[in-house]
């Protein structure tokens, strides 16, 4: 399969190059030349398949031409080996719990998959002795997933850029305490500033001539595409409960950079019968504004209690535009949007706990509330519960007024010592820091 750039000035790129480069030279995002529909027999039997087999079938459609079958099987198996249960929260609303991986957020799926695939491609490169520097901007969860995916991997150094004071203390522990080949960079700025620094680094000729750089954000195809797999699994689990419910499945995705929902749109194009999508946002409602007006106006992000969605210029919007040939009408027909204030998120978290006993995290709360408000009669909603509530301990405990149990996996991270390097949001500063490292 070849890849082209959403800016259309680059095409015919191999998967290997797309994964290693991350971003195309014309600053666009890579897209596969075509999306192959999976034969209907797959969907008829999907509820009888294991997650592994299902994910491999989908992975084969995307990567089968470019990655040896046994290797692909191994990557799928090793990176998706945790539970993704579909839990009934109320009458017609289900939570797809994506937080049972090592760092307790859905980013584990793409983060681990892309680490493995990148390592595989790097080994095949002629200059495979040269250190590869992975730059990753994080709003809280990508950093830990990618850092944990690459921890101790030879030949790779990871730089995690995160906005100072804007990630939760537990999130911060997950990438600042690891040491080894992981360096945490604390940026005086927002997530958008971090993302801009990373993008500027890829565009800088001098840096690229002197060191090998790649990205692990959802701009990377190996990072966002594997996220399509669990949409199949959501459908399969719902189908096992009731075919009628599966036929009317609406998926709601708490969205920030829109990588997760874009992966869902890919699953849909591969034939997965999702009725429609809802993108749930916090106050950073650039996408909702686009749906309302047809005009996309990025603006600086504002800090909210659902901090992993504090994105003012979602990079995967370019992929959504491309998928729908820039048709506002087509996009609006398939995806609706909604935005919630911190007060609404807090109120939802609290009332859901009281009424159903289910503990949401602030991101999942946006998803749950959107389904409660927007499901039509006969529809069945699945929201992606993107992180474990304990990752936002202070926020969640503050809202509920009660203690939240911290999973052992998380407690382990909190025992380490925080080490990070302070950076301004000035690119010149970042550049000279990197050059001094090489
Ligand atoms: C990253 C993240 C999101 C947003 O996902 P995108 O793919 O960037 O839209 C939502 N919730 C949590 C907990 C996250 O970590």
């Amino acid at each position: 399969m070849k890849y082209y750039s959403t800016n259309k000035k680059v095409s015919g790129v191999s998967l290997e190059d797309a994964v290693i480069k991350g971003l195309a030279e014309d600053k666009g995002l890579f897209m596969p030349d075509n999306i192959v529909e999976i034969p209907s027999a797959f969907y008829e039997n999907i509820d009888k398949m294991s997650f592994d087999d299902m994910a491999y079938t989908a992975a084969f459609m995307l990567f089968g031409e470019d990655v040896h079958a046994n290797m692909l099987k191994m990557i799928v198996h090793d990176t998706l080996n945790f539970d993704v249960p579909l839990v009934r929260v109320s009458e017609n609303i289900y939570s797809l719990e994506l937080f049972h991986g090592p760092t307790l957020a859905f980013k584990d799926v793409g983060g681990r998959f892309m680490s493995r695939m990148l390592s595989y491609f790097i080994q095949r490169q002629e200059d495979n002795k040269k250190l590869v520097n992975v730059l990753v901007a994080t709003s809280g969860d990508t950093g830990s997933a990618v850092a944990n995916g690459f921890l101790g991997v030879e030949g790779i150094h990871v730089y995690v850029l995160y906005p100072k004071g804007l990630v939760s203390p537990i999130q911060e522990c997950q990438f600042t305490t690891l040491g080894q080949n992981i360096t945490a960079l604390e940026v005086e700025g927002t997530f958008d500033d971090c993302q801009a620094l990373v993008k500027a680094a890829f565009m800088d000729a001098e840096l690229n001539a002197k060191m090998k750089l790649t990205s692990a954000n959802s701009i990377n195809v190996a990072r966002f595409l594997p996220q399509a797999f669990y949409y199949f699994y959501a459908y399969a689990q719902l189908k096992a409960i009731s075919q009628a419910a599966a036929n009317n499945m609406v998926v709601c995705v708490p969205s920030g950079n829109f990588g997760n929902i874009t992966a869902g749109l890919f699953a849909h194009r591969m034939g997965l019968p999702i009725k429609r999508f809802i993108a749930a946002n916090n106050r950073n409602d650039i996408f909702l504004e686009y749906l309302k007006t047809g005009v996309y106006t990025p603006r600086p992000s504002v800090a909210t209690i659902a901090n992993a969605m504090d994105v003012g210029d979602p990079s995967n919007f370019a992929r959504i535009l491309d998928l729908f040939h820039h048709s506002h009408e087509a996009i609006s027909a398939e995806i609706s949007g909604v935005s919630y204030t911190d007060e609404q998120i807090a109120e939802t978290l609290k009332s859901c706990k009281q009424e159903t006993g289910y503990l949401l995290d602030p991101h999942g709360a946006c998803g749950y509330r959107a389904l409660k408000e927007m499901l039509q009669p006969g529809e069945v909603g699945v929201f992606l519960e993107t992180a474990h509530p304990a990752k936002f301990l202070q926020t969640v405990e503050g809202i509920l007024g009660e203690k939240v149990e911290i999973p052992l996996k998380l407690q382990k991270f909190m025992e380490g010592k925080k080490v990070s390097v302070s950076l301004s949001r000035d690119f010149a500063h970042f550049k000279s820091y990197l050059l001094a490292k090489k």
Side-chain angles (χ1 to χ4, degrees):
M1 179 94 70
K2 296 290 187 225
Y3 290 77
Y4 64 91
S5 157
T6 52
N7 285 345
K8 302 282 158 87
K9 297 206 177 65
V10 174
S11 63
V13 176
S14 67
L15 175 66
E16 177 165 343
D17 285 345
V19 170
I20 289 180
K21 286 202 176 89
L23 197 65
E25 272 123 26
D26 62 358
K27 302 192 190 192
L29 278 70
F30 286 114
M31 291 284 278
D33 272 349
N34 50 61
I35 306 173
V36 184
E37 213 172 290
I38 307 178
S40 61
F42 170 75
Y43 294 107
E44 279 151 30
N45 297 314
I46 196 168
D47 50 324
K48 293 168 197 86
M49 292 173 86
S50 68
F51 185 25
D52 229 37
D53 289 344
M54 189 182 305
Y56 177 69
T57 304
F60 185 80
M61 292 290 164
L62 296 165
F63 307 122
E65 288 173 23
D66 308 290
V67 181
H68 194 276
N70 286 339
M71 175 53 72
L72 189 58
K73 244 182 210 148
M74 216 156 78
I75 296 178
V76 167
H77 180 77
D78 293 352
T79 54
L80 302 175
N81 58 354
F82 53 83
D83 283 343
V84 185
L86 187 72
V87 179
R88 188 176 211 157
V89 178
S90 66
E91 173 77 35
N92 56 347
I93 301 181
Y94 293 81
S95 166
L96 185 69
E97 294 188 347
L98 298 172
F99 55 72
H100 296 283
T103 75
L104 292 99
F106 83 88
K107 304 249 177 30
D108 279 324
V109 174
R112 277 150 46 103
F113 194 96
M114 112 132 233
S115 321
R116 285 293 298 275
M117 199 167 240
L118 188 59
S119 307
Y120 167 71
F121 284 137
I122 285 169
Q123 279 162 17
R124 297 204 323 196
Q125 297 254 305
E126 278 171 22
D127 58 346
N128 61 12
K129 295 284 175 295
K130 204 169 164 192
L131 184 73
V132 174
N133 298 281
V134 177
L135 304 183
V136 56
T138 185
S139 56
D141 291 325
T142 296
S144 49
V146 171
N148 282 277
F150 282 121
L151 184 64
V153 175
E154 240 176 82
I156 291 182
H157 197 100
V158 179
Y159 293 94
V160 179
L161 290 82
Y162 70 103
K164 181 177 179 178
L166 297 177
V167 304
S168 83
I170 294 184
Q171 285 176 318
E172 192 174 5
C173 286
Q174 289 184 304
F175 49 80
T176 57
T177 59
L178 300 169
Q180 299 186 56
N181 58 332
I182 313 296
T183 303
L185 303 173
E186 186 174 38
V187 176
E188 290 278 353
T190 62
F191 167 70
D192 292 300
D193 293 322
C194 298
Q195 185 150 266
L197 284 175
V198 169
K199 283 190 181 164
F202 291 130
M203 293 304 143
D204 189 275
E206 188 189 355
L207 263 183
N208 284 275
K210 294 197 169 144
M211 56 203 296
K212 240 176 150 172
L213 300 177
T214 190
S215 134
N217 279 100
S218 51
I219 51 180
N220 197 307
V221 289
R223 165 58 214 285
F224 96 93
L225 280 175
Q227 295 171 0
F229 305 157
Y230 46 67
Y231 287 82
F232 294 96
Y233 196 46
Y235 176 81
Q237 292 186 70
L238 200 55
K239 182 169 150 77
I241 298 168
S242 142
Q243 180 68 57
N247 291 346
N248 290 288
M249 180 171 88
V250 173
V251 179
C252 179
V253 188
S255 294
N257 241 336
F258 283 71
N260 208 7
I261 197 167
T262 303
L265 296 169
F266 269 74
H268 189 227
R269 291 285 168 95
M270 292 168 84
L272 183 67
I274 296 173
K275 201 174 162 203
R276 62 191 181 93
F277 290 87
I278 303 173
N281 283 140
N282 57 29
R283 281 201 299 126
N284 296 284
D285 61 352
I286 295 86
F287 182 74
L288 179 61
E289 279 302 308
Y290 166 78
L291 290 179
K292 281 185 191 157
T293 64
V295 183
Y296 177 72
T297 317
R299 58 183 142 77
S301 55
V302 292
T304 76
I305 58 170
N307 66 280
M309 311 197 303
D310 294 350
V311 183
D313 186 6
S315 52
N316 285 287
F317 183 68
R319 285 199 170 106
I320 296 180
L321 278 180
D322 192 83
L323 265 182
F324 293 89
H325 306 292
H326 291 251
S327 162
H328 175 253
E329 196 187 337
I331 293 174
S332 315
E334 198 162 312
I335 317 169
S336 28
V338 68
S339 138
Y340 296 118
T341 63
D342 278 358
E343 292 70 32
Q344 289 173 312
I345 295 171
E347 188 228 323
T348 306
L349 210 146
K350 189 162 189 155
S351 64
C352 179
K353 180 78 182 5
Q354 281 167 352
E355 287 160 19
T356 71
Y358 192 79
L359 181 58
L360 295 161
D361 96 293
H363 307 80
C366 296
Y368 174 70
R369 182 169 179 137
L371 289 173
K372 265 198 104 164
E373 290 179 356
M374 296 166 78
L375 278 183
Q376 301 292 318
E379 289 181 337
V380 176
V382 173
F383 67 95
L384 306 191
E385 184 37 295
T386 46
H388 191 288
K391 287 196 95 167
F392 311 94
L393 197 68
Q394 286 81 348
T395 302
V396 174
E397 288 186 343
I399 292 167
L400 295 178
E402 56 188 76
K403 284 270 163 219
V404 170
E405 202 181 317
I406 308 176
L408 259 179
K409 277 188 271 197
L410 267 186
Q411 291 179 25
K412 288 239 155 51
F413 287 111
M414 296 162 74
E415 290 160 6
K417 183 174 179 299
K418 174 188 155 178
V419 179
S420 63
V421 177
S422 295
L423 275 190
S424 70
R425 55 180 192 171
D426 181 10
F427 177 63
H429 188 191
F430 180 42
K431 181 174 169 178
S432 61
Y433 171 79
L434 285 178
L435 284 175
K437 288 274 145 190
K438 83 163 185 65

